[in-house]
Amino acid sequence: MKKEKDILKWLNREISDEELTHLKETKDFNTLEKIAHYSSQIEAPKVDVEKALADFKLKTENTSKKGKVIPFNYKKLYKYAAAVVVLLTTSYFFISNNTDNAIYKTAFAETKNFNLPDNSEVVLNANSEISYAKDSWQENRNLTLDGEAFFKVQKGEKFTVNTEVGRVTVLGTQFNVKERENYFEVKTFEGLVSVVYK
């Protein structure tokens, strides 16, 4: 610690003769002399303060006139998109669950027998699906068929089976509707039916 203080005094030219003699006896004194010699030759650059201030003012005026550039944040976009997807999906399920639709499906090599709300009998054939609105069935006996089904309809209001390619309307009868890809067939076992194709 004493050595560093002596070096600082020597560099500031405040060292006594006795301290200088002790400093010269150290092995690093030659290096210190070289450092002092070369550092005395270094000059700080001269700065024109007025010109630097004028340049600074010019730069700030130029940058303040330009609009601020805000980079597009894709992470926020993904967050908003995910929120919208979740919102749409949940609202879809709420809306679709509120419509009181009955859906019957069969797999390959499976048939289902069931009664509609008016006691009309249905035999749903393999790989088929029937859907209808339970809450409005008594006023509007409409159902949608994808596949094949046999119907034994109770007398009453008009009974309509809708498919992708045709519509079958009856008042009370027994009939079979088969709608497959590129195929549409209606077989009547009892009574009359009205068929509208496409």
Side-chain angles (χ1 to χ4, degrees), residues 128-179:
S128 301
E129 179 180 325
I130 283 183
S131 63
Y132 63 90
K134 284 195 278 187
D135 53 353
S136 64
W137 179 258
Q138 296 304 330
E139 301 86 37
N140 187 8
R141 298 194 306 173
N142 264 339
L143 59 85
T144 304
L145 170 68
D146 181 18
E148 181 180 1
F150 171 79
F151 298 93
K152 187 173 182 182
V153 179
Q154 294 293 321
K155 292 192 186 288
E157 296 295 319
K158 184 170 70 170
F159 185 95
T160 306
V161 178
N162 298 299
T163 67
E164 279 188 13
V165 293
R167 183 175 66 237
V168 181
T169 306
V170 295
L171 290 174
T173 190
Q174 296 179 25
F175 64 100
N176 192 71
V177 178
K178 186 176 190 179
E179 181 265 322

Side-chain angles (χ1 to χ4, degrees), residues 22 56 108 150 175:
H22 287 298
F56 178 73
F108 287 103
F150 171 79
F175 64 100

Side-chain angles (χ1 to χ4, degrees), residues 60-99:
T60 55
E61 286 176 7
N62 288 343
T63 56
S64 64
K65 290 178 184 176
K66 293 180 183 177
K68 186 176 180 183
V69 177
I70 300 173
F72 191 71
N73 190 348
Y74 287 100
K75 289 181 182 180
K76 283 188 179 180
L77 177 69
Y78 292 139
K79 287 178 186 177
Y80 293 137
V84 168
V85 167
V86 168
L87 184 67
L88 290 176
T89 306
T90 54
S91 63
Y92 170 76
F93 282 114
F94 279 126
I95 292 170
S96 65
N97 288 341
N98 286 340
T99 58

Side-chain angles (χ1 to χ4, degrees), residues 18-126:
E18 185 183 325
E19 291 171 332
L20 182 60
T21 355
H22 287 298
L23 190 60
K24 284 183 179 178
E25 290 173 0
T26 63
K27 60 182 180 178
D28 297 331
F29 186 72
N30 285 338
T31 310
L32 288 172
E33 280 186 321
K34 286 180 185 177
I35 291 172
H37 172 71
Y38 289 117
S39 64
S40 67
Q41 295 177 1
I42 297 174
E43 283 185 30
K46 293 183 178 177
V47 177
D48 184 3
V49 177
E50 297 297 324
K51 184 177 183 302
L53 182 61
D55 289 344
F56 178 73
K57 285 181 180 178
L58 184 65
K59 282 183 182 178
T60 55
E61 286 176 7
N62 288 343
T63 56
S64 64
K65 290 178 184 176
K66 293 180 183 177
K68 186 176 180 183
V69 177
I70 300 173
F72 191 71
N73 190 348
Y74 287 100
K75 289 181 182 180
K76 283 188 179 180
L77 177 69
Y78 292 139
K79 287 178 186 177
Y80 293 137
V84 168
V85 167
V86 168
L87 184 67
L88 290 176
T89 306
T90 54
S91 63
Y92 170 76
F93 282 114
F94 279 126
I95 292 170
S96 65
N97 288 341
N98 286 340
T99 58
D100 200 13
N101 282 352
I103 299 174
Y104 294 92
K105 290 182 181 182
T106 54
F108 287 103
E110 176 189 12
T111 59
K112 266 189 189 171
N113 296 341
F114 59 92
N115 287 347
L116 296 171
D118 65 350
N119 284 331
S120 296
E121 297 174 29
V122 179
V123 179
L124 190 61
N125 208 345

